[in-house]
Amino acid sequence: MSVNGAASTIANPNRSTEVVKPPSDSVSSLSFSPKANVFVATSWDNQVGCWEVQKSGNELSTVHMGSMSHDKPVLCSAWKEDGTTVFSGGCDKQVKMWPLASGGQPVTVAVHDAPVKEVSWIQEMNLLVTGSWDKTLSNGTKRVLGLNSSMTKILRMIEERNAAALFSLYWDLRQQSPTWVQQLPDRCYALAVQHPLMVVGTADRNIIVFDLQKPQTEYKRIVSPLQHQTRCLAAFPDKQGFLVGSIGGRVGVHHFDKPQTDKTFTFKCHRQGSVVYSVNSLNFHPTHHTFATTGSDGSFSFWDKDNKTRLKEMARCNQPVTCSSFNHDGSIFGYSVCYDWSKGAEKYDPATAKTNIYLHQPLEVDVKPRLPLARGRRFDAGRYCALPEKMTGRPSFPEAVTTKCWDLRQQNPTSVQRLPDCCYALAVQHPLVVVGTADRNIIVFNLQSPQAEYNRFLSPLQHQTRCLAAFPDKQGFLVGSIEGKRHHTFASAGSDGVFNFWDKDAKRKLTNMLRCNQPISCSSFNCDGSIYAYAVCYDWSKQGGRKIIIPQQQRPRYTSISPGKTMSHPVFQQVVESSDAS
């Protein structure tokens, strides 16, 4: 059992790349450079570390570039838009600037009177914004590096207006005093910026929206749609709303415009049965504008807010995922796995609570939006199906899931196509190839251009794909699942021990065959359709033996099975005992 109560005991079940020289204590923030594959991580060991990510084909490796220190634990980090400078803030009440590109020494550029929880650089204004836990303001007698007489006057003025005021500050790095001081109703817990939009979440579940073109006044103030404490925020890339995550295992999707209110909703996530875990971070994909969530249940997932769909849920780690970030092009998703202290010191086990940072390369299908198709409608080429997935927490092995084309005169495959998950079914009617994978994706290939996918969508069936068959006219395919429902099938056999013949065009069953005493695991027609063979054997859910049964139709009653005819012919069964049949 893991320290956070999750069932997984595997530290890296998704086989992500492990970052070298991770922090010695829990990671509080993770930020990628907006220009390069370089990231920084802040941690509770008072350190800000920097790593460079190197790519070699599909393999990733990391190099530790250095670190700098605060006097107390570090809580947040942000980059300048040119990727040359890093800002960090923490429990020492200071914000430091680290000029990485020039190799200069860190300097203090901003101060608060309480720990600094959030920091963000606003490129369009050339300003730094900081959010703090200030609850009472300094009277000016305490000397702090960078606190000059003008700043002391500002703090005293705020204190006179409201002794319990909280604030966020805007800093021009060319000056020692803040450009603006903005009062907040309570401690700042989260902050997100997409100029001119800025969203701030406070301890009392208030969410304050600012228009940075008029930063001195609030644009809007709302109470969080979530019932529990705000944990994280993310502004929409189109600046029309925001996401909010809470410690109650929920995410809220909020649109500002009234015509979009029907798209405002909340959903549950990061839960195991009745146990609810905190949502720790929210990150939008820089290209596709889908988003990722991480939680204290040890998992991370990718979501499509516009279609209200979970795109992919990854396997659970053995500790909470505390923070995360996409790189500049969305090809790398970094996340930290460590103890988050939500269970207290008594649940901390140094033997298992190791801090790690991992780099995951998401497949495009896992982060790309999918066009929805209503349940029960027929699907065709050029359409996508996006139905709710029932995830099992099974690890995926992206480096092993491929489909290959072979020329038997050569030793190497002529083409290799990477799949989103393990191949479970395949059907071919040249030039049509249909592949069904473990995550319910169905990928269609045109063998005249086998290097590229022709189409990809989700199975219209809710459960795992079990079998596929391509139409003889190559205009579509059939798919069957483990749930016992068939869609466009001609002959079907199931674990209930029954096989049937169907007319897909008339949408009706042609025969009702008798039930066998064991499951039917697989089946096939002969070349002219006069013989239908099927295997009756133990499927490892019940006890039983194994038999292969080959029914032979009485000739010349029918030589093939035709749609629209009732199959009432007698069946003679030849039972062949086999000890190794499956």
Side-chain angles (χ1 to χ4, degrees), residues 76-107:
C76 55
S77 59
W79 288 80
K80 285 191 73 173
E81 78 282 355
D82 57 5
T84 61
T85 306
V86 173
F87 302 97
S88 57
C91 295
D92 57 1
K93 310 171 189 177
Q94 302 179 22
V95 176
K96 291 190 176 185
M97 180 177 69
W98 186 11
L100 280 171
S102 64
Q105 294 298 312
V107 294

mmCIF file of all heavy atoms in Angstrom, residues 76-107:
data_model
loop_
_atom_site.group_PDB
_atom_site.id
_atom_site.type_symbol
_atom_site.label_atom_id
_atom_site.label_comp_id
_atom_site.label_asym_id
_atom_site.label_seq_id
_atom_site.Cartn_x
_atom_site.Cartn_y
_atom_site.Cartn_z
ATOM 1 N N CYS A 76 6.880 28.329 -5.579
ATOM 2 C CA CYS A 76 6.397 28.648 -6.921
ATOM 3 C C CYS A 76 7.546 29.082 -7.815
ATOM 4 O O CYS A 76 8.623 29.461 -7.331
ATOM 5 C CB CYS A 76 5.331 29.744 -6.859
ATOM 6 S SG CYS A 76 5.882 31.239 -5.995
ATOM 7 N N SER A 77 7.289 29.041 -9.130
ATOM 8 C CA SER A 77 8.303 29.426 -10.105
ATOM 9 C C SER A 77 7.632 29.889 -11.388
ATOM 10 O O SER A 77 6.485 29.530 -11.671
ATOM 11 C CB SER A 77 9.247 28.253 -10.397
ATOM 12 O OG SER A 77 8.529 27.137 -10.895
ATOM 13 N N ALA A 78 8.362 30.699 -12.167
ATOM 14 C CA ALA A 78 7.873 31.190 -13.454
ATOM 15 C C ALA A 78 9.071 31.619 -14.295
ATOM 16 O O ALA A 78 10.135 31.940 -13.768
ATOM 17 C CB ALA A 78 6.911 32.360 -13.269
ATOM 18 N N TRP A 79 8.871 31.607 -15.629
ATOM 19 C CA TRP A 79 9.911 31.999 -16.580
ATOM 20 C C TRP A 79 9.554 33.321 -17.244
ATOM 21 O O TRP A 79 8.383 33.653 -17.422
ATOM 22 C CB TRP A 79 10.048 30.954 -17.690
ATOM 23 C CG TRP A 79 10.669 29.656 -17.293
ATOM 24 C CD1 TRP A 79 10.061 28.624 -16.643
ATOM 25 C CD2 TRP A 79 12.014 29.245 -17.529
ATOM 26 N NE1 TRP A 79 10.943 27.589 -16.467
ATOM 27 C CE2 TRP A 79 12.155 27.931 -16.998
ATOM 28 C CE3 TRP A 79 13.116 29.824 -18.148
ATOM 29 C CZ2 TRP A 79 13.340 27.225 -17.072
ATOM 30 C CZ3 TRP A 79 14.307 29.117 -18.222
ATOM 31 C CH2 TRP A 79 14.420 27.830 -17.682
ATOM 32 N N LYS A 80 10.603 34.068 -17.662
ATOM 33 C CA LYS A 80 10.385 35.166 -18.597
ATOM 34 C C LYS A 80 10.109 34.576 -19.975
ATOM 35 O O LYS A 80 10.477 33.447 -20.272
ATOM 36 C CB LYS A 80 11.608 36.084 -18.649
ATOM 37 C CG LYS A 80 11.756 36.989 -17.430
ATOM 38 C CD LYS A 80 12.821 38.054 -17.650
ATOM 39 C CE LYS A 80 12.336 39.126 -18.614
ATOM 40 N NZ LYS A 80 13.307 40.262 -18.704
ATOM 41 N N GLU A 81 9.493 35.391 -20.836
ATOM 42 C CA GLU A 81 9.049 34.869 -22.130
ATOM 43 C C GLU A 81 10.200 34.462 -23.037
ATOM 44 O O GLU A 81 10.011 33.635 -23.941
ATOM 45 C CB GLU A 81 8.165 35.906 -22.836
ATOM 46 C CG GLU A 81 8.903 37.050 -23.510
ATOM 47 C CD GLU A 81 9.382 38.126 -22.542
ATOM 48 O OE1 GLU A 81 9.051 38.028 -21.345
ATOM 49 O OE2 GLU A 81 10.068 39.063 -22.986
ATOM 50 N N ASP A 82 11.400 35.006 -22.811
ATOM 51 C CA ASP A 82 12.528 34.659 -23.669
ATOM 52 C C ASP A 82 13.304 33.445 -23.166
ATOM 53 O O ASP A 82 14.282 33.025 -23.798
ATOM 54 C CB ASP A 82 13.471 35.852 -23.821
ATOM 55 C CG ASP A 82 13.978 36.378 -22.482
ATOM 56 O OD1 ASP A 82 13.669 35.749 -21.438
ATOM 57 O OD2 ASP A 82 14.675 37.416 -22.474
ATOM 58 N N GLY A 83 12.879 32.864 -22.038
ATOM 59 C CA GLY A 83 13.520 31.667 -21.517
ATOM 60 C C GLY A 83 14.894 31.893 -20.923
ATOM 61 O O GLY A 83 15.647 30.932 -20.736
ATOM 62 N N THR A 84 15.226 33.124 -20.593
ATOM 63 C CA THR A 84 16.555 33.416 -20.057
ATOM 64 C C THR A 84 16.583 33.540 -18.544
ATOM 65 O O THR A 84 17.642 33.422 -17.938
ATOM 66 C CB THR A 84 17.092 34.728 -20.647
ATOM 67 O OG1 THR A 84 16.212 35.813 -20.273
ATOM 68 C CG2 THR A 84 17.164 34.642 -22.164
ATOM 69 N N THR A 85 15.422 33.788 -17.934
ATOM 70 C CA THR A 85 15.371 34.143 -16.515
ATOM 71 C C THR A 85 14.256 33.379 -15.822
ATOM 72 O O THR A 85 13.172 33.186 -16.384
ATOM 73 C CB THR A 85 15.146 35.655 -16.348
ATOM 74 O OG1 THR A 85 16.143 36.363 -17.089
ATOM 75 C CG2 THR A 85 15.231 36.055 -14.882
ATOM 76 N N VAL A 86 14.528 32.967 -14.580
ATOM 77 C CA VAL A 86 13.558 32.254 -13.754
ATOM 78 C C VAL A 86 13.271 33.066 -12.500
ATOM 79 O O VAL A 86 14.198 33.638 -11.893
ATOM 80 C CB VAL A 86 14.084 30.856 -13.362
ATOM 81 C CG1 VAL A 86 13.158 30.187 -12.363
ATOM 82 C CG2 VAL A 86 14.228 29.992 -14.604
ATOM 83 N N PHE A 87 11.989 33.100 -12.114
ATOM 84 C CA PHE A 87 11.579 33.725 -10.860
ATOM 85 C C PHE A 87 11.067 32.641 -9.919
ATOM 86 O O PHE A 87 10.408 31.681 -10.356
ATOM 87 C CB PHE A 87 10.477 34.758 -11.099
ATOM 88 C CG PHE A 87 10.864 35.852 -12.048
ATOM 89 C CD1 PHE A 87 10.507 35.779 -13.395
ATOM 90 C CD2 PHE A 87 11.586 36.945 -11.616
ATOM 91 C CE1 PHE A 87 10.866 36.770 -14.279
ATOM 92 C CE2 PHE A 87 11.945 37.959 -12.503
ATOM 93 C CZ PHE A 87 11.586 37.871 -13.837
ATOM 94 N N SER A 88 11.350 32.780 -8.636
ATOM 95 C CA SER A 88 10.878 31.807 -7.640
ATOM 96 C C SER A 88 10.537 32.535 -6.347
ATOM 97 O O SER A 88 11.181 33.514 -5.978
ATOM 98 C CB SER A 88 11.947 30.744 -7.374
ATOM 99 O OG SER A 88 13.159 31.342 -6.951
ATOM 100 N N GLY A 89 9.510 32.043 -5.678
ATOM 101 C CA GLY A 89 9.081 32.620 -4.402
ATOM 102 C C GLY A 89 8.776 31.524 -3.405
ATOM 103 O O GLY A 89 8.475 30.392 -3.784
ATOM 104 N N GLY A 90 8.841 31.857 -2.120
ATOM 105 C CA GLY A 90 8.622 30.826 -1.126
ATOM 106 C C GLY A 90 8.373 31.351 0.260
ATOM 107 O O GLY A 90 7.958 32.511 0.461
ATOM 108 N N CYS A 91 8.668 30.492 1.219
ATOM 109 C CA CYS A 91 8.354 30.779 2.621
ATOM 110 C C CYS A 91 9.302 31.794 3.253
ATOM 111 O O CYS A 91 9.068 32.216 4.386
ATOM 112 C CB CYS A 91 8.375 29.478 3.418
ATOM 113 S SG CYS A 91 7.098 28.303 2.931
ATOM 114 N N ASP A 92 10.369 32.175 2.567
ATOM 115 C CA ASP A 92 11.229 33.241 3.083
ATOM 116 C C ASP A 92 10.695 34.615 2.723
ATOM 117 O O ASP A 92 11.364 35.634 2.955
ATOM 118 C CB ASP A 92 12.658 33.085 2.564
ATOM 119 C CG ASP A 92 12.728 33.072 1.036
ATOM 120 O OD1 ASP A 92 11.665 33.203 0.389
ATOM 121 O OD2 ASP A 92 13.836 32.919 0.501
ATOM 122 N N LYS A 93 9.487 34.663 2.138
ATOM 123 C CA LYS A 93 8.756 35.898 1.832
ATOM 124 C C LYS A 93 9.407 36.714 0.723
ATOM 125 O O LYS A 93 9.087 37.885 0.552
ATOM 126 C CB LYS A 93 8.598 36.769 3.099
ATOM 127 C CG LYS A 93 8.071 36.021 4.307
ATOM 128 C CD LYS A 93 8.139 36.871 5.554
ATOM 129 C CE LYS A 93 7.813 36.055 6.801
ATOM 130 N NZ LYS A 93 7.944 36.838 8.027
ATOM 131 N N GLN A 94 10.300 36.098 -0.018
ATOM 132 C CA GLN A 94 11.017 36.802 -1.069
ATOM 133 C C GLN A 94 10.747 36.165 -2.429
ATOM 134 O O GLN A 94 10.431 34.980 -2.520
ATOM 135 C CB GLN A 94 12.521 36.790 -0.804
ATOM 136 C CG GLN A 94 12.943 37.396 0.508
ATOM 137 C CD GLN A 94 14.445 37.314 0.705
ATOM 138 O OE1 GLN A 94 15.202 37.194 -0.250
ATOM 139 N NE2 GLN A 94 14.892 37.381 1.947
ATOM 140 N N VAL A 95 10.906 36.989 -3.461
ATOM 141 C CA VAL A 95 10.919 36.504 -4.837
ATOM 142 C C VAL A 95 12.310 36.762 -5.390
ATOM 143 O O VAL A 95 12.806 37.893 -5.351
ATOM 144 C CB VAL A 95 9.857 37.207 -5.702
ATOM 145 C CG1 VAL A 95 9.960 36.746 -7.147
ATOM 146 C CG2 VAL A 95 8.463 36.927 -5.162
ATOM 147 N N LYS A 96 12.931 35.698 -5.895
ATOM 148 C CA LYS A 96 14.281 35.823 -6.435
ATOM 149 C C LYS A 96 14.267 35.664 -7.949
ATOM 150 O O LYS A 96 13.456 34.910 -8.500
ATOM 151 C CB LYS A 96 15.208 34.778 -5.809
ATOM 152 C CG LYS A 96 15.492 35.030 -4.330
ATOM 153 C CD LYS A 96 16.593 34.113 -3.810
ATOM 154 C CE LYS A 96 16.937 34.445 -2.369
ATOM 155 N NZ LYS A 96 18.080 33.640 -1.867
ATOM 156 N N MET A 97 15.189 36.372 -8.582
ATOM 157 C CA MET A 97 15.366 36.295 -10.029
ATOM 158 C C MET A 97 16.698 35.609 -10.308
ATOM 159 O O MET A 97 17.742 36.020 -9.797
ATOM 160 C CB MET A 97 15.345 37.689 -10.654
ATOM 161 C CG MET A 97 15.522 37.692 -12.169
ATOM 162 S SD MET A 97 15.415 39.346 -12.897
ATOM 163 C CE MET A 97 16.924 40.085 -12.270
ATOM 164 N N TRP A 98 16.647 34.548 -11.137
ATOM 165 C CA TRP A 98 17.844 33.761 -11.457
ATOM 166 C C TRP A 98 18.128 33.904 -12.945
ATOM 167 O O TRP A 98 17.464 33.285 -13.781
ATOM 168 C CB TRP A 98 17.588 32.302 -11.086
ATOM 169 C CG TRP A 98 18.777 31.401 -11.223
ATOM 170 C CD1 TRP A 98 20.077 31.753 -11.439
ATOM 171 C CD2 TRP A 98 18.752 29.968 -11.161
ATOM 172 N NE1 TRP A 98 20.872 30.657 -11.497
ATOM 173 C CE2 TRP A 98 20.097 29.536 -11.338
ATOM 174 C CE3 TRP A 98 17.760 29.013 -10.968
ATOM 175 C CZ2 TRP A 98 20.444 28.185 -11.341
ATOM 176 C CZ3 TRP A 98 18.107 27.676 -10.975
ATOM 177 C CH2 TRP A 98 19.432 27.260 -11.148
ATOM 178 N N PRO A 99 19.134 34.709 -13.332
ATOM 179 C CA PRO A 99 19.462 34.877 -14.752
ATOM 180 C C PRO A 99 20.260 33.693 -15.286
ATOM 181 O O PRO A 99 21.490 33.695 -15.298
ATOM 182 C CB PRO A 99 20.280 36.175 -14.768
ATOM 183 C CG PRO A 99 20.898 36.254 -13.407
ATOM 184 C CD PRO A 99 19.942 35.572 -12.460
ATOM 185 N N LEU A 100 19.552 32.682 -15.760
ATOM 186 C CA LEU A 100 20.205 31.440 -16.180
ATOM 187 C C LEU A 100 21.097 31.638 -17.398
ATOM 188 O O LEU A 100 22.211 31.109 -17.470
ATOM 189 C CB LEU A 100 19.142 30.386 -16.495
ATOM 190 C CG LEU A 100 18.527 29.641 -15.318
ATOM 191 C CD1 LEU A 100 17.354 28.813 -15.791
ATOM 192 C CD2 LEU A 100 19.556 28.756 -14.649
ATOM 193 N N ALA A 101 20.607 32.386 -18.381
ATOM 194 C CA ALA A 101 21.343 32.509 -19.637
ATOM 195 C C ALA A 101 22.689 33.201 -19.443
ATOM 196 O O ALA A 101 23.695 32.821 -20.045
ATOM 197 C CB ALA A 101 20.504 33.265 -20.661
ATOM 198 N N SER A 102 22.727 34.227 -18.597
ATOM 199 C CA SER A 102 23.963 34.972 -18.390
ATOM 200 C C SER A 102 24.875 34.342 -17.344
ATOM 201 O O SER A 102 26.035 34.742 -17.218
ATOM 202 C CB SER A 102 23.634 36.412 -17.974
ATOM 203 O OG SER A 102 22.961 36.425 -16.714
ATOM 204 N N GLY A 103 24.325 33.369 -16.584
ATOM 205 C CA GLY A 103 25.123 32.749 -15.537
ATOM 206 C C GLY A 103 25.300 33.618 -14.315
ATOM 207 O O GLY A 103 26.180 33.372 -13.477
ATOM 208 N N GLY A 104 24.474 34.644 -14.182
ATOM 209 C CA GLY A 104 24.581 35.547 -13.043
ATOM 210 C C GLY A 104 24.048 34.950 -11.757
ATOM 211 O O GLY A 104 23.419 33.886 -11.741
ATOM 212 N N GLN A 105 24.287 35.641 -10.652
ATOM 213 C CA GLN A 105 23.841 35.206 -9.347
ATOM 214 C C GLN A 105 22.386 35.616 -9.104
ATOM 215 O O GLN A 105 21.934 36.661 -9.592
ATOM 216 C CB GLN A 105 24.725 35.793 -8.256
ATOM 217 C CG GLN A 105 26.158 35.291 -8.282
ATOM 218 C CD GLN A 105 26.243 33.788 -8.065
ATOM 219 O OE1 GLN A 105 25.616 33.256 -7.145
ATOM 220 N NE2 GLN A 105 26.999 33.103 -8.923
ATOM 221 N N PRO A 106 21.614 34.800 -8.354
ATOM 222 C CA PRO A 106 20.231 35.169 -8.036
ATOM 223 C C PRO A 106 20.183 36.443 -7.195
ATOM 224 O O PRO A 106 21.041 36.668 -6.336
ATOM 225 C CB PRO A 106 19.716 33.964 -7.248
ATOM 226 C CG PRO A 106 20.637 32.846 -7.598
ATOM 227 C CD PRO A 106 21.970 33.468 -7.838
ATOM 228 N N VAL A 107 19.174 37.257 -7.458
ATOM 229 C CA VAL A 107 18.968 38.492 -6.695
ATOM 230 C C VAL A 107 17.511 38.572 -6.269
ATOM 231 O O VAL A 107 16.620 38.064 -6.961
ATOM 232 C CB VAL A 107 19.337 39.735 -7.528
ATOM 233 C CG1 VAL A 107 20.829 39.766 -7.825
ATOM 234 C CG2 VAL A 107 18.531 39.785 -8.814
#
